[in-house]
Amino acid sequence: MDAKNLLKEHVSKIVALTDKQFDYFFSHFKTETFKKGQTVISEGQNVDKEYFVVSGCLKSFYVNDEIKMYILQFAMSTWWASDYAALYNKTKATINVDCISDVEILSLSNDDREKLCREIHEVEHFFRWRTNRGYVASQKRLLSFMNNDTKTRYEELLALYPALYNTVPKHLIAAYLGVSRETLSRLYNASKSH
Amino acid sequence: MDAKNLLKEHVSKIVALTDKQFDYFFSHFKTETFKKGQTVISEGQNVDKEYFVVSGCLKSFYVNDEIKMYILQFAMSTWWASDYAALYNKTKATINVDCISDVEILSLSNDDREKLCREIHEVEHFFRWRTNRGYVASQKRLLSFMNNDTKTRYEELLALYPALYNTVPKHLIAAYLGVSRETLSRLYNASKSH
DNA sequence: TTCATTACGTGATGTAGATCACATTCGTCA
DNA sequence: TGACGAATGTGATCTACATCACGTAATGAA
């Protein structure tokens, strides 16, 4: 499916836009393509866009002391990604977003999103829904962090993103789980043996 | 300040409603008062309201195996609380909300919120803003969880909710930090001695 | 093909924090 | 005022995971 129809289908699950409204909405997006390994947002830069993933996989992550990396989110087709704290507060990025694979995304500037939200009530509703979904997911992950051991969280992750299993290197999965790659490796091999 | 004006001031920081619009908006809220220790939402029940705190302090928390408690949020004056996962998905509550002190709150039903969002574009904008703020805060806390040790998180918490320091029992602070009360006690007393 | 880089596995050892156990103090209510 | 439950402090021990160290396999570019 092409980018426009993918976005259209995604939005239409939540709000009903006329074709004309959707065309107008879509006219604010810009198609961008990146190669595996390229950077979309990097720490310290200004952030003025958010991204809707058409194909491929992004990761958003924080790097501590130039050493440890923690992955906040993997973003696959129909997921959204940005540094939302920086985007909304108009501050410099504190997180990075880059490409795990070749990627096609649709970008939307913060100003255009706010303009569209003002102009089309349904669009505002859509973005409220989307943010709410993210909020609930984030709370759930936080709870899982406090409550579950690493193995349980590993299984949860594979349930949430089944495609990751064979797609992304294990050390990235460890960085999402917040454990060392060694621990994940041991865990993973121990549970294989029965 | 009375409940109505507190809410009015809170909302007006984000959107401009006419007095007539605000009166209509406010007419959907119901004042409720609770005594310290009383339950607002309990696990397994239906959830159909969210709460705006006028005075006092709520906690929202998850209880694992009837044993361990993890606090998702403390909610003080002008904060909102509910089990948003249950509220939006119309499922049974998985978290609890109760009162750390005597509390006055304004309740708003999910149906009324959605109705108000449909009827008044500015109201939808307000709730999008509010949820977004919650999402960003939740991401930040998740990152802090992965990245920082308990002591740093303890200091962050006191910076975020300075009023908690002398207000709530230490074991609740431990439950927010996701550590045992013993560990918090040791940490707290160790750092006192210099 | 070769060489370098990245990914992955696994042992040894150190450590933050959990858990258990018990003592002490505080708050609340009869 | 006395008493009982809740909150807190503190020692001893256990455990999951980090860290360091090293080896091997896979990947990718020249």
Side-chain angles (χ1 to χ4, degrees):
Chain A
M1 195 185 310
D2 70 355
K4 184 171 179 177
N5 280 311
L6 190 70
L7 180 61
K8 188 167 191 171
E9 198 169 272
H10 173 68
V11 171
S12 72
K13 279 177 186 157
I14 307 309
V15 292
L17 296 183
T18 64
D19 284 350
K20 201 171 161 184
Q21 279 178 323
F22 181 77
D23 287 346
Y24 178 70
F25 176 69
F26 185 72
S27 73
H28 295 78
F29 286 80
K30 218 178 89 192
T31 298
E32 301 185 27
T33 59
F34 290 88
K35 290 281 171 197
K36 175 175 175 176
Q38 281 191 300
T39 297
V40 180
I41 293 175
S42 56
E43 193 189 331
Q45 306 290 115
N46 288 319
V47 182
D48 66 346
K49 291 181 199 162
E50 61 178 310
Y51 303 95
F52 174 77
V53 179
V54 175
S55 65
C57 185
L58 299 174
K59 65 174 192 284
S60 66
F61 60 103
Y62 172 76
V63 178
N64 155 287
D65 304 330
E66 321 287 315
I67 297 177
K68 281 194 225 166
M69 176 181 73
Y70 298 102
I71 293 180
L72 277 167
Q73 192 200 357
F74 293 110
M76 335 248 302
S77 183
T78 77
W79 290 66
W80 297 75
S82 190
D83 178 342
Y84 286 104
L87 194 63
Y88 279 88
N89 303 327
K90 300 191 185 299
T91 54
K92 304 284 179 186
T94 57
I95 69 161
N96 307 272
V97 175
D98 72 16
C99 304
I100 294 179
S101 64
D102 290 357
V103 157
E104 184 187 352
I105 54 189
L106 294 172
S107 67
L108 175 66
S109 76
N110 195 57
D111 289 348
D112 281 343
R113 171 173 29 69
E114 292 304 311
K115 188 186 81 156
L116 287 165
C117 281
R118 254 180 279 120
E119 291 173 344
I120 306 174
H121 192 153
E122 285 78 9
V123 169
E124 181 121 46
H125 182 75
F126 169 76
F127 281 109
R128 178 167 70 90
W129 168 84
R130 191 209 54 182
T131 303
N132 197 72
R133 194 152 155 276
Y135 176 65
V136 168
S138 175
Q139 292 273 84
K140 195 177 163 200
R141 186 169 167 209
L142 183 65
L143 214 46
S144 179
F145 232 94
M146 295 201 276
N147 189 38
N148 299 133
D149 61 19
T150 304
K151 192 180 171 189
T152 307
R153 296 207 315 280
Y154 174 64
E155 283 154 8
E156 270 181 11
L157 173 62
L158 292 188
L160 181 61
Y161 304 92
L164 285 189
Y165 186 75
N166 289 313
T167 313
V168 315
K170 301 273 183 290
H171 74 268
L172 293 184
I173 293 184
Y176 181 93
L177 297 175
V179 295
S180 69
R181 55 168 203 84
E182 293 96 331
T183 296
L184 181 64
S185 170
R186 279 183 255 264
L187 210 100
Y188 171 76
N189 289 359
S191 63
K192 254 198 313 210
S193 62
H194 51 243
Chain B
M1 196 184 309
D2 70 353
K4 185 171 178 178
N5 279 311
L6 190 71
L7 180 61
K8 189 168 190 170
E9 197 168 275
H10 174 67
V11 171
S12 71
K13 279 177 187 157
I14 306 309
V15 293
L17 295 183
T18 64
D19 284 352
K20 201 170 165 183
Q21 279 178 323
F22 181 77
D23 286 346
Y24 178 70
F25 176 68
F26 185 72
S27 73
H28 295 78
F29 286 80
K30 220 178 86 193
T31 297
E32 301 186 27
T33 59
F34 290 88
K35 289 280 172 198
K36 176 176 175 176
Q38 283 191 299
T39 296
V40 180
I41 294 175
S42 57
E43 192 190 331
Q45 307 289 115
N46 288 320
V47 183
D48 65 347
K49 290 181 200 161
E50 60 177 312
Y51 303 95
F52 174 77
V53 178
V54 176
S55 65
C57 185
L58 299 173
K59 66 175 193 281
S60 66
F61 60 102
Y62 173 75
V63 178
N64 153 288
D65 305 329
E66 320 287 315
I67 295 177
K68 281 193 225 165
M69 176 181 74
Y70 298 101
I71 293 180
L72 278 168
Q73 192 200 357
F74 293 110
M76 336 250 297
S77 183
T78 78
W79 290 66
W80 296 76
S82 189
D83 179 342
Y84 286 103
L87 194 63
Y88 279 87
N89 302 328
K90 298 189 185 300
T91 53
K92 304 284 181 187
T94 58
I95 68 160
N96 306 271
V97 175
D98 71 16
C99 303
I100 294 180
S101 62
D102 290 358
V103 158
E104 185 187 351
I105 55 188
L106 294 172
S107 67
L108 174 66
S109 78
N110 194 57
D111 289 348
D112 282 342
R113 173 176 24 72
E114 291 304 311
K115 190 187 78 157
L116 287 164
C117 280
R118 255 180 277 119
E119 290 173 345
I120 306 175
H121 191 154
E122 285 77 10
V123 169
E124 182 122 47
H125 182 76
F126 169 77
F127 281 109
R128 179 168 69 89
W129 168 83
R130 190 208 55 182
T131 303
N132 196 72
R133 196 154 152 275
Y135 176 64
V136 168
S138 177
Q139 292 274 85
K140 196 178 161 200
R141 187 169 168 208
L142 182 66
L143 214 45
S144 179
F145 232 93
M146 296 200 276
N147 190 37
N148 298 133
D149 61 17
T150 304
K151 193 181 170 190
T152 307
R153 297 208 314 281
Y154 173 65
E155 283 154 7
E156 270 182 10
L157 174 62
L158 292 188
L160 182 61
Y161 303 91
L164 285 189
Y165 185 75
N166 288 311
T167 314
V168 316
K170 300 272 184 292
H171 74 268
L172 293 185
I173 293 184
Y176 181 93
L177 297 174
V179 295
S180 69
R181 56 170 202 82
E182 293 95 330
T183 294
L184 181 64
S185 169
R186 280 184 254 263
L187 209 100
Y188 171 75
N189 289 358
S191 62
K192 253 198 313 209
S193 62
H194 51 245

